[in-house]
Amino acid sequence: MNILDEDVSNTVESNPADIRLAAMNLLARREHSVRELRNKLQRRFPGDEKVNEQLCRLTEERLQSDIRFAASYARQRISRGFGPIRLREELRERGVSEDDIAAALDEVGIDWCAVAVEVIHKRFGAHKPIDIQEKARRARFMQYRGFATDHYKDLC
């Protein structure tokens, strides 16, 4: 491809059907937040108006949902041992609103203390820490994973 071909491709008008098809293909692979879809589509189709138009249609038709994305993302990250604080931050970075995050976490319905027990036992075993340094090490690990002190205070 030469420089002239690139200039021609940038001036070609984006077809709304092509934008919708690309969005549907992305959503068929996995759930995406609106921000993620917008970023991916804007790289491929210049022009905010048509991309935003198609994203609004997909949301209205319930083919894209930030709550569904957040619940799916939360289940995946919980299975990897991450806590609610880190989940909330990661979802915020992906453009999910606070209300949608709260709704998704309520939908998932997780006992965070049970998850914390599982994570700490997987990482450190079932024995209690022997000294204050070990206790601090465990606490730092759990904070890094996104758990509040209330979730693991009896375990460290």
Side-chain angles (χ1 to χ4, degrees):
M1 179 182 238
N2 63 32
I3 295 173
L4 294 176
D5 291 337
E6 288 179 20
D7 291 338
V8 171
S9 66
N10 286 337
T11 60
V12 173
E13 196 66 27
S14 299
N15 183 0
D18 292 338
I19 295 171
R20 183 177 173 85
L21 180 64
M24 295 292 289
N25 285 337
L26 290 169
L27 287 170
R29 290 185 192 108
R30 71 168 177 90
E31 293 287 343
H32 288 75
S33 69
V34 171
R35 182 188 288 174
E36 286 179 333
L37 270 178
R38 182 176 292 115
N39 290 342
K40 288 181 180 185
L41 292 172
Q42 284 178 343
R43 278 186 248 140
R44 207 166 146 194
F45 302 101
D48 294 345
E49 288 180 28
K50 290 183 181 181
V51 169
N52 288 335
E53 213 174 272
Q54 292 306 311
L55 289 174
C56 287
R57 276 188 63 200
L58 290 170
T59 303
E60 288 170 3
E61 295 169 4
R62 298 178 195 250
L63 295 172
Q64 188 286 324
S65 166
D66 276 353
I67 295 173
R68 203 169 51 230
F69 163 74
S72 171
Y73 186 84
R75 279 189 293 274
Q76 178 217 8
R77 297 299 278 170
I78 290 166
S79 71
R80 290 180 164 224
F82 290 96
I85 297 168
R86 184 150 174 191
L87 272 175
R88 285 180 186 280
E89 186 57 36
E90 288 177 356
L91 287 168
R92 271 189 227 110
E93 289 173 2
R94 284 159 178 76
V96 181
S97 71
E98 287 295 326
D99 293 338
D100 290 346
I101 292 171
L105 292 179
D106 286 344
E107 180 183 313
V108 173
I110 294 295
D111 178 9
W112 294 110
C113 292
V115 174
V117 167
E118 188 177 313
V119 169
I120 221 163
H121 285 182
K122 184 175 180 181
R123 174 71 177 185
F124 300 105
H127 64 279
K128 291 275 188 184
I130 26 179
D131 58 6
I132 193 75
Q133 290 172 335
E134 178 66 18
K135 188 173 183 176
R137 183 172 157 242
R138 290 180 185 204
R140 280 191 307 273
F141 175 76
M142 295 304 283
Q143 287 171 350
Y144 166 76
R145 283 297 184 100
F147 290 96
T149 308
D150 294 343
H151 298 139
Y152 63 84
K153 68 181 173 188
D154 296 334
L155 303 171
C156 290

